[in-house]
Amino acid sequence: MDTIKWGFIGCGEVVEKKSGPAFSEIEGSEVVAVMSRSAENARSYAERHGIKRWYTDAMELIDDPEVNAVYIATPPSSHATYAIMAMHSGKAVYVEKPLAASYDDCARVNRVSEQTGIPCFVAYYRRYLPYFNKVRSIIESGEIGEIVNVQIRYSSPAREFDAEKGDKRPWRLVPEIAGGGYFYDMAPHQLDLLQDLFGVIVEANGISANRGGLYEAEDSISACFRFENGLPGSGSWCFVGHESANEDRIEIVGNKGSISFSVFNYEPILLVTSRGKANIVVANPPYVQRPIIQAVVDDLLGKGKCKCTSMSATPVNWVMDRILGKF
């Protein structure tokens, strides 16, 4: 392929704000078609972004002869189905995180990718952002010494629309669609970052509860886990906490210091050593998915390798399913 010609399945908020425009900014990459179940949304996105064709049926987009790669930006319950359809049609896939709504569905995607030889990449874009690359460089420099413990802490108040019922309920709160509640939507980024830094998590357990009573999915989770190198870690997530408890932090503790950073707010990285405290500010690009999309395009054009494959993304779902007691 001389040019990666993308078809988008889904054109919602993530595509609008984080990823969509980046596909057209990258040399050797072009968006030629877009699909949404809503004809109005598909047409609007195509017209506003100068895209040739739009569809309301995913299979029609996948069958488009000009499309040679598919970006899937739908809720997780349809990720595996669309990814498998695309790979069976010989089209490379880039899918939003998490890879699927369950570990079992991730395994299905991996089997088809292996059988067809068609690559499937996953949008764990934080692996490629300058902010988190700085975290990695500090850890690898040995400045905080040998890592002895890892902690995830996240707390936020309930959203104003969390108590909506029926069709008005956000899909992120419907386990059949999302895989779980907000935990299944937000924790993947945190867990993927840590596994990219320290290796696969091989043991995980958790306790989940619904404390707010606003919806059926879990809203408060505590977990402990162990990486393949023996490093222990823990996590706490609360999505119905008071504003005073707001927190978005991962702390990595070493025997010579510690480093803590946010995952969603990109607050200054805090480095603490015997020399004192330092706040490190690192800027990210306007479209945060641009660096990983560049890596995907380079991989498909034979110019490099993208490490965010479906195989590397699958352990995240295994950990989340273990924490939620799915198996």
Side-chain angles (χ1 to χ4, degrees):
M1 290 184 284
D2 296 323
T3 302
I4 309 305
K5 296 187 177 182
W6 293 95
F8 289 179
I9 298 179
C11 51
E13 183 180 5
V14 169
V15 180
E16 196 75 58
K17 295 182 178 180
K18 295 183 178 181
S19 61
F23 284 89
S24 300
E25 292 181 353
I26 294 168
E27 184 178 355
S29 175
E30 179 186 357
V31 184
V32 298
V34 63
M35 173 267 169
S36 172
R37 289 180 298 175
S38 164
E40 181 181 354
N41 291 346
R43 184 192 306 111
S44 172
Y45 189 91
E47 290 175 350
R48 286 184 291 105
H49 295 279
I51 297 170
K52 300 176 185 177
R53 292 179 297 284
W54 57 268
Y55 299 97
T56 56
D57 183 272
M59 200 66 233
E60 288 184 15
L61 178 137
I62 291 170
D63 285 340
D64 186 322
E66 191 176 7
V67 170
N68 57 27
V70 177
Y71 170 40
I72 300 168
T74 59
S77 60
S78 58
H79 286 184
T81 298
Y82 289 146
I84 289 170
M85 288 165 58
M87 288 187 289
H88 276 311
S89 297
K91 316 269 171 108
V93 173
Y94 175 62
V95 60
E96 276 300 326
K97 62 83 214 165
L99 172 56
S102 70
Y103 171 71
D104 287 343
D105 275 352
C106 292
R108 289 174 54 222
V109 172
N110 289 328
R111 282 196 298 271
V112 173
S113 180
E114 183 178 18
Q115 291 165 359
T116 61
I118 303 298
C120 178
F121 303 98
V122 184
Y124 283 120
Y125 58 86
R126 283 172 170 81
R127 294 194 203 180
Y128 284 87
L129 286 179
Y131 180 94
F132 300 105
N133 286 339
K134 181 62 176 178
V135 171
R136 178 188 299 277
S137 69
I138 292 171
I139 293 170
E140 292 180 346
S141 74
E143 196 165 359
I144 63 172
E146 180 183 355
I147 308 304
V148 295
N149 193 263
V150 173
Q151 301 167 18
I152 302 171
R153 300 189 297 273
Y154 185 88
S155 181
S156 67
R159 281 79 166 169
E160 61 180 85
F161 44 75
D162 284 354
E164 294 285 358
K165 305 295 182 182
D167 292 342
K168 293 183 178 180
R169 171 153 294 170
W171 63 260
R172 289 175 173 84
L173 297 178
V174 182
E176 294 78 13
I177 298 175
Y182 286 124
F183 172 76
Y184 222 86
D185 183 55
M186 302 185 75
H189 280 302
Q190 299 160 319
L191 293 168
D192 180 75
L193 276 171
L194 292 177
Q195 292 190 100
D196 192 44
L197 286 169
F198 303 118
V200 173
I201 291 172
V202 296
E203 185 179 353
N205 294 283
I207 296 174
S208 59
N210 183 303
R211 303 296 294 167
L214 299 175
Y215 42 81
E216 294 179 5
E218 72 289 335
D219 60 25
S220 187
I221 303 96
S222 294
C224 57
F225 42 86
R226 178 174 59 86
F227 296 87
E228 58 186 338
N229 64 2
L231 176 66
S234 61
S236 174
W237 295 264
C238 179
F239 301 100
V240 289
H242 187 262
E243 291 180 1
S244 63
N246 270 10
E247 190 168 20
D248 165 23
R249 215 69 180 161
I250 290 180
E251 184 171 11
I252 297 171
V253 180
N255 59 8
K256 294 182 180 178
S258 66
I259 183 172
S260 61
F261 55 94
S262 65
V263 176
F264 304 103
N265 299 324
Y266 308 118
E267 296 171 354
I269 299 165
L270 175 61
L271 173 63
V272 181
T273 65
S274 58
R275 297 191 303 274
K277 297 181 180 180
N279 285 301
I280 304 167
V281 177
V282 181
N284 287 320
Y287 296 113
V288 290
Q289 288 204 29
R290 193 186 194 287
I292 188 175
I293 295 169
Q294 180 74 67
V296 170
V297 170
D298 287 347
D299 193 309
L300 295 175
L301 292 175
K303 297 179 179 180
K305 283 292 182 184
C306 178
K307 61 183 180 179
C308 288
T309 64
S310 60
M311 188 67 73
S312 76
T314 295
V316 171
N317 285 76
W318 183 88
V319 174
M320 292 193 298
D321 284 4
R322 288 287 298 167
I323 290 173
L324 293 182
K326 289 188 179 183
F327 63 85

